[in-house]
């Protein structure tokens, strides 16, 4: 039976709840299997152009109704603001009701207001913290979050029909907080049609000054402290002398001063010539970056479920990732190497990957099979619908 599903995202900030690109894709995948799906999110003039462009590239997203409120993103709103509830009322009226609400985030006022709307109308809601209840995240602004949890958010979370965790580590971490609702693990995914596109590796190489035909390791993510660029710099100091022909390509949008610190570390070791910054890459150019690389590397301090890792694996690129990425399937199927956050461990993994052609080939094939079997959006959408059916029946 088709469901009437409403997603609410609390923030457009990728550092606070996950990128809206994930939301566009899961909602599009749900709509593709016959459900009525709508999204409510904040409007942010400084980001709207980029956000809208990211939405337009998603397969099937035209089936999803999107309502953007004028409410300032994230915590800038007040708890008395009624714009999110009014948007939810409009959608409920147009759809003839809402069967389930999926909230994406924890700390943002739009999420609190949406949860209150659900409780007032007896609509079950599910919370996807997107890593915001992870130990690493809870340590950021620790005292403010403790006060907010005690005053507002504990009640909101306890009222949820379920909590949607992205991985087993997140499930266990949330369970230890004793918040009450059952916790369901449903990962993120990829649309294979979006990433398995013709990729002109030669054109990508030609567009990156200084790369040429040299083999390279690829870091592709937000340029943010959490992603471990400082750790990668220290590891590269060990690896670069062993592989003088190799390059480290760093790609992604800048979000804080992590890239400045990375540059200082690399310059201090006189390794500037071995590192190439590619800026943000998207679509076919991103696929070419993955396909052309010897391996993908992400020594992140915390991940909920990394889309970048999943994309790399889907395209047959072996990976070197920290255990704090919480992607144990990498080791389980032999798709790459998991490491600690210690630079010598990261360096050892990179050295093995770059120096062992047979291992790289085997890992790449294993990763591609893993994603196709377990981490595509149609499969993930079916898991979310099964969860909605269970909470509605309880």
């Amino acid at each position: 039976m088709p469901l009437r599903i409403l997603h609410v995202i609390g923030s457009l900030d990728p550092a606070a709840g996950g990128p809206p690109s994930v939301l566009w894709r899961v909602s599009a995948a749900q709509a593709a299997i016959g459900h009525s799906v709508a999204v409510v999110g904040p409007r942010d003039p400084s980001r709207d152009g980029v956000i809208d462009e990211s939405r337009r590239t998603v397969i099937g997203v035209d089936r999803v109704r999107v309502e953007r409120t004028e409410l300032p993103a994230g915590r800038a709103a007040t708890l008395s603001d009624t714009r999110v509830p009014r948007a939810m009322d409009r959608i409920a009226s147009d759809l003839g009701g809402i069967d389930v609400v999926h909230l994406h985030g924890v700390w943002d006022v739009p999420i609190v207001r949406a949860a209150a709307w659900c409780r007032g109308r007896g609509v079950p809601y599910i919370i996807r913290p997107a890593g915001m209840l992870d130990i690493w995240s809870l340590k950021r602004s620790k005292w403010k979050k403790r006060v907010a949890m005690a005053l507002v958010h504990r009640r909101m979370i306890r009222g949820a029909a379920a909590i949607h965790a992205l991985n087993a580590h997140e499930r266990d971490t949330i369970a230890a907080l004793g918040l009450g609702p059952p916790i369901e693990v449903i990962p993120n995914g990829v649309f294979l049609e979006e990433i398995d596109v013709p990729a002109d590796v030669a054109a990508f190489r030609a567009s990156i000054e200084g790369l040429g035909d040299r083999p390279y390791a690829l870091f592709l993510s937000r340029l943010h402290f959490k992603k471990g660029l400082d750790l990668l710099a220290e590891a590269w100091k060990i690896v670069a002398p062993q592989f003088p022909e190799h390059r480290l390509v760093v790609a992604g949008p800048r979000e804080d001063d992590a890239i400045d610190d990375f540059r200082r570390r690399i310059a201090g070791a006189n390794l500037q010539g071995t590192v190439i910054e590619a800026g943000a890459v998207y679509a076919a150019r991103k696929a070419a970056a993955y396909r052309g690389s010897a391996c993908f590397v992400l020594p992140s301090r915390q991940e909920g479920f990394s889309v970048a890792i999943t994309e790399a694996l889907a395209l047959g690129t072996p990976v070197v990732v920290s255990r704090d990425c919480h992607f144990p399937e990498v080791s389980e199927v032999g798709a790459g190497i998991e490491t600690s956050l210690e630079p010598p461990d990261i360096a050892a993994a990179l050295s093995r990957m770059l120096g062992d052609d047979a291992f790289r080939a085997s890992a790449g094939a294993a990763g591609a099979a893993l994603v196709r079997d377990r981490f595509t959006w149609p499969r993930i959408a079916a898991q979310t619908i099964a969860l909605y059916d269970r909470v509605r029946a309880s």
Side-chain angles (χ1 to χ4, degrees):
M1 177 179 175
L3 298 177
R4 296 161 298 184
I5 304 163
L6 175 59
H7 293 272
V8 180
I9 185 169
S11 174
L12 300 179
D13 181 0
S21 60
V22 168
L23 178 56
W24 304 143
R25 284 164 175 80
V26 69
S27 58
Q30 291 170 341
I33 54 179
H35 302 282
S36 297
V37 187
V39 173
V40 169
R43 184 177 298 283
D44 180 352
S46 69
R47 286 175 174 260
D48 278 354
V50 174
I51 297 298
D52 289 341
E53 183 60 32
S54 74
R55 179 165 57 91
R56 281 192 290 270
T57 64
V58 177
I59 297 169
V61 77
D62 55 315
R63 300 187 185 99
V64 178
R65 171 175 172 171
V66 177
E67 179 135 356
R68 305 285 289 280
T69 73
E70 294 298 330
L71 186 67
R75 304 160 190 80
T78 65
L79 286 172
S80 62
D81 197 291
T82 62
R83 279 170 280 191
V84 165
R86 292 205 307 267
M88 297 173 76
D89 282 336
R90 287 192 294 272
I91 292 170
S93 177
D94 292 347
L95 296 182
I98 295 174
D99 295 310
V100 65
V101 174
H102 205 143
L103 305 178
H104 301 264
V106 173
W107 305 112
D108 302 297
V109 167
I111 297 297
V112 177
R113 299 295 290 139
W117 184 96
C118 292
R119 291 194 302 272
R121 290 158 181 79
V123 176
Y125 63 94
I126 293 160
I127 296 176
R128 181 179 77 100
M132 297 173 80
L133 296 177
D134 186 274
I135 294 170
W136 189 90
S137 296
L138 288 174
K139 288 180 179 178
R140 311 301 105 182
S141 304
K142 178 174 66 174
W143 293 109
K144 287 176 63 177
K145 288 178 179 176
R146 286 189 178 182
V147 171
M149 181 66 80
L151 294 179
V152 176
H153 298 281
R154 185 174 294 275
R155 180 190 179 203
M156 178 192 77
I157 296 169
R158 284 182 167 169
I163 297 174
H164 169 186
L166 294 170
N167 56 60
H169 171 84
E170 185 178 29
R171 176 198 63 206
D172 296 343
T173 299
I174 294 172
L177 297 175
L179 296 171
I183 306 168
E184 182 93 4
V185 175
I186 302 176
N188 288 334
V190 295
F191 279 126
L192 295 176
E193 303 93 326
E194 284 187 349
I195 63 169
D196 198 7
V197 296
D200 192 337
V201 175
F204 172 76
R205 286 181 170 278
S207 72
I208 305 299
E209 185 177 355
L211 183 57
D213 293 329
R214 294 179 180 86
Y216 65 92
L218 174 68
F219 172 97
L220 195 161
S221 190
R222 296 183 292 119
L223 306 183
H224 186 278
F225 170 76
K226 184 177 81 167
K227 302 297 182 176
L229 276 169
D230 54 331
L231 308 177
L232 180 57
E234 296 304 311
W236 190 246
K237 292 178 185 180
I238 301 170
V239 174
Q242 302 173 27
F243 297 89
E245 292 303 312
H246 285 65
R247 295 294 179 263
L248 173 62
V249 173
V250 175
R254 178 190 179 110
E255 293 212 357
D256 63 9
D257 61 0
I259 188 63
D260 299 324
D261 175 72
F262 173 83
R263 290 168 182 159
R264 285 192 293 270
R265 292 171 186 268
I266 292 297
N270 198 30
L271 292 173
Q272 304 95 310
T274 71
V275 174
I276 301 172
E277 294 182 35
V281 295
Y282 301 104
R285 194 159 179 262
K286 179 167 67 171
Y290 285 127
R291 289 188 182 279
S293 67
C295 71
F296 171 82
V297 55
L298 184 65
S300 183
R301 291 177 166 88
Q302 187 272 331
E303 296 290 329
F305 194 95
S306 170
V307 173
I309 295 174
T310 314
E311 290 174 339
L313 293 172
L315 290 172
T317 303
V319 302
V320 172
V321 298
S322 68
R323 294 187 188 92
D324 296 82
C325 290
H326 308 305
F327 212 131
E329 294 85 358
V330 165
S331 294
E332 290 170 11
V333 304
I337 304 173
E338 291 182 281
T339 78
S340 72
L341 292 176
E342 296 298 322
D345 288 346
I346 300 167
L350 275 171
S351 295
R352 183 186 176 195
M353 190 68 77
L354 297 178
D356 190 333
D357 294 347
F359 177 65
R360 280 203 315 277
S362 173
L370 170 69
V371 173
R372 282 158 174 75
D373 287 345
R374 297 170 60 178
F375 299 124
T376 62
W377 279 123
R379 179 180 291 272
I380 303 309
Q383 293 177 35
T384 63
I385 299 304
L387 173 59
Y388 299 162
D389 286 338
R390 286 195 295 276
V391 301
R392 292 179 67 236
S394 62

